[in-house]
Amino acid sequence: MREPEGLPSRGGSAYRSAARNERAWLYGVARHVVSAEYRRKNRLDVLNSRVAGRRLLGADDIARVEDRIVAEKEGRAMVEAMEGLPEQQRAVLELVAVDQLTVAEAARALGIRSVSARVTLHRARAHLRKAAGAPSDESASAAPLTRSTAAVLDASAASIDLSRSRA
């Protein structure tokens, strides 16, 4: 058998003699292909398991998460400020702002007069405004309150208005 021109004299014949069993060669190639497919599938499964049960966040979702983080931070600051209140002021504020009782109902629950509860609540709110860095009622400058501080103060102010209208 004569070798064609342009091929290395030994390369083709050496290859053919080394791979006499084409079936073994084919099984070797197939084993490598299957092994590569299993590795690819395993990498894909690992990636899928990392994000399983989670959904990707869009720009609006990220903004909401950031707002929640800020609100929680402000909420913790508000709780710390409330811990600094005298016991009576904290009790009235919690009953009005957290438990959503009217000032009259909070006064009855604490066994004090309604007028005393309103004054105590006013002092508690003034202390929280000062702790939050908000201007006092007498101040002409109107700096915006944080959301959580404003929510507590607005809830207690609304309950004062409700108790006055009921009385």
Side-chain angles (χ1 to χ4, degrees), residues 25-60:
W25 172 81
L26 184 60
Y27 281 129
V29 170
R31 182 178 62 84
H32 288 293
V33 169
V34 169
S35 175
E37 179 61 22
Y38 276 116
R39 283 193 306 272
R40 186 195 65 79
K41 186 179 180 315
N42 188 34
R43 282 192 303 267
L44 187 62
D45 289 345
V46 168
L47 290 174
N48 285 335
S49 69
R50 287 183 184 172
V51 294
R54 301 175 187 166
R55 70 180 171 97
L56 300 176
L57 297 177
D60 292 340

Short mmCIF file of all heavy atoms in Angstrom, two decimals, residues 25-60:
data_model
loop_
_atom_site.label_atom_id
_atom_site.label_comp_id
_atom_site.label_asym_id
_atom_site.label_seq_id
_atom_site.Cartn_x
_atom_site.Cartn_y
_atom_site.Cartn_z
N TRP A 25 -11.82 2.89 20.39
CA TRP A 25 -11.61 4.33 20.21
C TRP A 25 -12.94 5.08 20.33
O TRP A 25 -13.05 6.10 21.01
CB TRP A 25 -10.99 4.59 18.84
CG TRP A 25 -10.91 6.04 18.48
CD1 TRP A 25 -9.99 6.93 18.89
CD2 TRP A 25 -11.84 6.77 17.66
NE1 TRP A 25 -10.26 8.18 18.38
CE2 TRP A 25 -11.39 8.10 17.61
CE3 TRP A 25 -12.98 6.40 16.96
CZ2 TRP A 25 -12.07 9.07 16.90
CZ3 TRP A 25 -13.64 7.37 16.24
CH2 TRP A 25 -13.18 8.70 16.22
N LEU A 26 -14.00 4.57 19.71
CA LEU A 26 -15.31 5.19 19.75
C LEU A 26 -15.85 5.23 21.19
O LEU A 26 -16.40 6.24 21.63
CB LEU A 26 -16.28 4.44 18.83
CG LEU A 26 -17.67 5.04 18.70
CD1 LEU A 26 -17.60 6.46 18.15
CD2 LEU A 26 -18.53 4.17 17.80
N TYR A 27 -15.68 4.14 21.93
CA TYR A 27 -16.10 4.14 23.33
C TYR A 27 -15.33 5.16 24.17
O TYR A 27 -15.88 5.80 25.07
CB TYR A 27 -15.96 2.74 23.95
CG TYR A 27 -17.08 1.80 23.56
CD1 TYR A 27 -16.80 0.54 23.05
CD2 TYR A 27 -18.41 2.17 23.74
CE1 TYR A 27 -17.81 -0.32 22.70
CE2 TYR A 27 -19.43 1.32 23.40
CZ TYR A 27 -19.12 0.07 22.87
OH TYR A 27 -20.13 -0.78 22.53
N GLY A 28 -14.08 5.34 23.88
CA GLY A 28 -13.27 6.33 24.59
C GLY A 28 -13.78 7.75 24.34
O GLY A 28 -13.91 8.55 25.27
N VAL A 29 -14.08 8.05 23.07
CA VAL A 29 -14.62 9.37 22.73
C VAL A 29 -15.98 9.57 23.38
O VAL A 29 -16.27 10.61 23.98
CB VAL A 29 -14.71 9.55 21.20
CG1 VAL A 29 -15.48 10.81 20.84
CG2 VAL A 29 -13.32 9.59 20.59
N ALA A 30 -16.83 8.56 23.32
CA ALA A 30 -18.16 8.65 23.91
C ALA A 30 -18.06 8.85 25.43
O ALA A 30 -18.83 9.63 26.02
CB ALA A 30 -18.96 7.39 23.59
N ARG A 31 -17.13 8.18 26.08
CA ARG A 31 -16.95 8.33 27.52
C ARG A 31 -16.58 9.77 27.86
O ARG A 31 -17.10 10.35 28.80
CB ARG A 31 -15.85 7.38 28.01
CG ARG A 31 -15.62 7.44 29.50
CD ARG A 31 -14.56 6.46 29.95
NE ARG A 31 -13.27 6.71 29.36
CZ ARG A 31 -12.38 7.58 29.85
NH1 ARG A 31 -12.67 8.29 30.90
NH2 ARG A 31 -11.22 7.74 29.25
N HIS A 32 -15.71 10.37 27.06
CA HIS A 32 -15.32 11.77 27.29
C HIS A 32 -16.50 12.73 27.08
O HIS A 32 -16.68 13.69 27.83
CB HIS A 32 -14.14 12.16 26.39
CG HIS A 32 -12.86 11.53 26.80
ND1 HIS A 32 -12.21 11.85 27.97
CD2 HIS A 32 -12.09 10.59 26.19
CE1 HIS A 32 -11.11 11.13 28.08
NE2 HIS A 32 -11.00 10.36 27.00
N VAL A 33 -17.30 12.47 26.05
CA VAL A 33 -18.45 13.32 25.77
C VAL A 33 -19.47 13.22 26.91
O VAL A 33 -19.98 14.24 27.40
CB VAL A 33 -19.10 12.95 24.41
CG1 VAL A 33 -20.44 13.63 24.23
CG2 VAL A 33 -18.16 13.31 23.28
N VAL A 34 -19.75 12.01 27.35
CA VAL A 34 -20.71 11.81 28.45
C VAL A 34 -20.18 12.44 29.73
O VAL A 34 -20.92 13.09 30.48
CB VAL A 34 -21.02 10.31 28.63
CG1 VAL A 34 -21.80 10.05 29.91
CG2 VAL A 34 -21.80 9.78 27.43
N SER A 35 -18.92 12.27 30.00
CA SER A 35 -18.30 12.86 31.20
C SER A 35 -18.40 14.37 31.17
O SER A 35 -18.73 15.02 32.17
CB SER A 35 -16.84 12.42 31.29
OG SER A 35 -16.21 13.05 32.36
N ALA A 36 -18.15 14.98 30.03
CA ALA A 36 -18.25 16.44 29.89
C ALA A 36 -19.70 16.90 30.10
O ALA A 36 -19.95 17.93 30.73
CB ALA A 36 -17.74 16.88 28.52
N GLU A 37 -20.66 16.12 29.61
CA GLU A 37 -22.07 16.47 29.78
C GLU A 37 -22.47 16.39 31.26
O GLU A 37 -23.17 17.26 31.78
CB GLU A 37 -22.95 15.54 28.95
CG GLU A 37 -24.43 15.81 29.09
CD GLU A 37 -24.86 17.19 28.65
OE1 GLU A 37 -24.15 17.84 27.87
OE2 GLU A 37 -25.93 17.64 29.11
N TYR A 38 -22.01 15.37 31.97
CA TYR A 38 -22.30 15.28 33.41
C TYR A 38 -21.68 16.44 34.19
O TYR A 38 -22.29 16.99 35.10
CB TYR A 38 -21.80 13.94 33.98
CG TYR A 38 -22.78 12.82 33.79
CD1 TYR A 38 -22.47 11.72 32.99
CD2 TYR A 38 -24.03 12.85 34.41
CE1 TYR A 38 -23.36 10.69 32.83
CE2 TYR A 38 -24.94 11.81 34.25
CZ TYR A 38 -24.59 10.74 33.45
OH TYR A 38 -25.48 9.71 33.29
N ARG A 39 -20.47 16.83 33.83
CA ARG A 39 -19.83 17.98 34.50
C ARG A 39 -20.63 19.25 34.23
O ARG A 39 -20.87 20.05 35.13
CB ARG A 39 -18.39 18.14 34.03
CG ARG A 39 -17.43 17.15 34.65
CD ARG A 39 -15.97 17.53 34.43
NE ARG A 39 -15.63 17.74 33.03
CZ ARG A 39 -15.21 16.80 32.19
NH1 ARG A 39 -15.08 15.56 32.61
NH2 ARG A 39 -14.92 17.09 30.95
N ARG A 40 -21.07 19.45 32.98
CA ARG A 40 -21.86 20.63 32.64
C ARG A 40 -23.18 20.64 33.41
O ARG A 40 -23.58 21.64 33.99
CB ARG A 40 -22.14 20.66 31.14
CG ARG A 40 -22.85 21.94 30.68
CD ARG A 40 -23.45 21.81 29.29
NE ARG A 40 -24.51 20.84 29.22
CZ ARG A 40 -25.78 21.06 29.63
NH1 ARG A 40 -26.09 22.21 30.17
NH2 ARG A 40 -26.70 20.13 29.53
N LYS A 41 -23.85 19.49 33.47
CA LYS A 41 -25.13 19.40 34.18
C LYS A 41 -24.92 19.63 35.68
O LYS A 41 -25.73 20.31 36.31
CB LYS A 41 -25.76 18.04 33.95
CG LYS A 41 -27.15 17.91 34.55
CD LYS A 41 -27.73 16.55 34.27
CE LYS A 41 -29.11 16.38 34.84
NZ LYS A 41 -29.31 16.84 36.17
N ASN A 42 -23.85 19.13 36.23
CA ASN A 42 -23.57 19.33 37.66
C ASN A 42 -23.33 20.81 37.95
O ASN A 42 -23.84 21.34 38.94
CB ASN A 42 -22.36 18.50 38.07
CG ASN A 42 -22.15 18.53 39.56
OD1 ASN A 42 -23.11 18.59 40.33
ND2 ASN A 42 -20.90 18.49 39.98
N ARG A 43 -22.57 21.50 37.09
CA ARG A 43 -22.36 22.94 37.27
C ARG A 43 -23.68 23.70 37.21
O ARG A 43 -23.94 24.60 38.00
CB ARG A 43 -21.39 23.48 36.22
CG ARG A 43 -19.94 23.18 36.50
CD ARG A 43 -19.02 23.99 35.59
NE ARG A 43 -19.28 23.78 34.18
CZ ARG A 43 -18.67 22.90 33.41
NH1 ARG A 43 -17.74 22.12 33.90
NH2 ARG A 43 -18.97 22.80 32.13
N LEU A 44 -24.54 23.33 36.27
CA LEU A 44 -25.84 23.97 36.12
C LEU A 44 -26.72 23.71 37.35
O LEU A 44 -27.40 24.62 37.84
CB LEU A 44 -26.53 23.47 34.85
CG LEU A 44 -27.82 24.15 34.46
CD1 LEU A 44 -27.56 25.63 34.18
CD2 LEU A 44 -28.40 23.48 33.23
N ASP A 45 -26.68 22.47 37.88
CA ASP A 45 -27.46 22.15 39.08
C ASP A 45 -26.98 22.95 40.28
O ASP A 45 -27.78 23.41 41.09
CB ASP A 45 -27.38 20.65 39.39
CG ASP A 45 -28.16 19.81 38.39
OD1 ASP A 45 -28.98 20.39 37.64
OD2 ASP A 45 -27.94 18.58 38.37
N VAL A 46 -25.68 23.14 40.41
CA VAL A 46 -25.14 23.93 41.52
C VAL A 46 -25.60 25.38 41.40
O VAL A 46 -26.03 25.99 42.39
CB VAL A 46 -23.59 23.84 41.56
CG1 VAL A 46 -23.00 24.88 42.49
CG2 VAL A 46 -23.16 22.45 41.96
N LEU A 47 -25.54 25.93 40.20
CA LEU A 47 -26.01 27.31 40.00
C LEU A 47 -27.50 27.44 40.28
O LEU A 47 -27.94 28.39 40.92
CB LEU A 47 -25.71 27.77 38.57
CG LEU A 47 -24.24 28.00 38.24
CD1 LEU A 47 -24.07 28.31 36.76
CD2 LEU A 47 -23.67 29.11 39.08
N ASN A 48 -28.29 26.47 39.82
CA ASN A 48 -29.73 26.52 40.07
C ASN A 48 -30.05 26.39 41.55
O ASN A 48 -30.98 27.01 42.05
CB ASN A 48 -30.45 25.43 39.28
CG ASN A 48 -30.57 25.77 37.82
OD1 ASN A 48 -30.54 26.93 37.44
ND2 ASN A 48 -30.66 24.76 36.99
N SER A 49 -29.29 25.58 42.27
CA SER A 49 -29.55 25.42 43.71
C SER A 49 -29.23 26.71 44.47
O SER A 49 -29.81 26.96 45.52
CB SER A 49 -28.76 24.25 44.27
OG SER A 49 -27.38 24.55 44.30
N ARG A 50 -28.31 27.51 43.96
CA ARG A 50 -27.98 28.77 44.63
C ARG A 50 -29.12 29.77 44.55
O ARG A 50 -29.31 30.58 45.44
CB ARG A 50 -26.73 29.39 44.01
CG ARG A 50 -25.47 28.67 44.38
CD ARG A 50 -24.28 29.37 43.81
NE ARG A 50 -23.06 28.62 44.10
CZ ARG A 50 -21.89 28.91 43.60
NH1 ARG A 50 -21.76 29.94 42.77
NH2 ARG A 50 -20.84 28.19 43.90
N VAL A 51 -29.88 29.75 43.47
CA VAL A 51 -30.97 30.71 43.31
C VAL A 51 -32.34 30.08 43.49
O VAL A 51 -33.35 30.74 43.28
CB VAL A 51 -30.90 31.42 41.94
CG1 VAL A 51 -29.67 32.28 41.83
CG2 VAL A 51 -30.99 30.44 40.80
N ALA A 52 -32.39 28.82 43.89
CA ALA A 52 -33.68 28.14 44.07
C ALA A 52 -34.48 28.84 45.16
O ALA A 52 -33.96 29.17 46.22
CB ALA A 52 -33.45 26.68 44.43
N GLY A 53 -35.73 29.07 44.90
CA GLY A 53 -36.59 29.70 45.88
C GLY A 53 -36.42 31.20 45.97
O GLY A 53 -37.06 31.86 46.77
N ARG A 54 -35.59 31.75 45.17
CA ARG A 54 -35.37 33.20 45.16
C ARG A 54 -35.77 33.72 43.80
O ARG A 54 -35.63 33.05 42.80
CB ARG A 54 -33.90 33.52 45.40
CG ARG A 54 -33.38 33.00 46.70
CD ARG A 54 -31.92 33.24 46.82
NE ARG A 54 -31.39 32.60 48.01
CZ ARG A 54 -30.12 32.43 48.23
NH1 ARG A 54 -29.23 32.84 47.37
NH2 ARG A 54 -29.73 31.84 49.34
N ARG A 55 -36.24 34.93 43.80
CA ARG A 55 -36.52 35.54 42.51
C ARG A 55 -35.57 36.71 42.32
O ARG A 55 -35.11 37.31 43.29
CB ARG A 55 -37.97 35.96 42.39
CG ARG A 55 -38.37 37.11 43.23
CD ARG A 55 -39.85 37.43 43.01
NE ARG A 55 -40.25 38.40 43.98
CZ ARG A 55 -40.30 39.70 43.74
NH1 ARG A 55 -39.99 40.16 42.55
NH2 ARG A 55 -40.65 40.54 44.68
N LEU A 56 -35.28 36.99 41.10
CA LEU A 56 -34.36 38.07 40.81
C LEU A 56 -35.03 39.40 41.10
O LEU A 56 -36.23 39.58 40.90
CB LEU A 56 -33.91 37.99 39.35
CG LEU A 56 -33.20 36.69 38.98
CD1 LEU A 56 -32.89 36.68 37.49
CD2 LEU A 56 -31.92 36.52 39.78
N LEU A 57 -34.26 40.35 41.61
CA LEU A 57 -34.79 41.64 42.00
C LEU A 57 -34.68 42.64 40.85
O LEU A 57 -33.65 42.73 40.21
CB LEU A 57 -34.04 42.19 43.21
CG LEU A 57 -34.13 41.38 44.49
CD1 LEU A 57 -33.27 42.02 45.56
CD2 LEU A 57 -35.56 41.28 44.96
N GLY A 58 -35.75 43.36 40.66
CA GLY A 58 -35.75 44.45 39.70
C GLY A 58 -35.39 45.74 40.40
O GLY A 58 -35.16 45.78 41.61
N ALA A 59 -35.36 46.83 39.67
CA ALA A 59 -34.99 48.13 40.24
C ALA A 59 -35.99 48.57 41.31
O ALA A 59 -35.61 49.09 42.36
CB ALA A 59 -34.89 49.17 39.13
N ASP A 60 -37.29 48.33 41.07
CA ASP A 60 -38.31 48.71 42.05
C ASP A 60 -38.18 47.87 43.32
O ASP A 60 -38.36 48.37 44.42
CB ASP A 60 -39.71 48.53 41.47
CG ASP A 60 -40.01 49.52 40.36
OD1 ASP A 60 -39.31 50.56 40.31
OD2 ASP A 60 -40.92 49.27 39.56
#
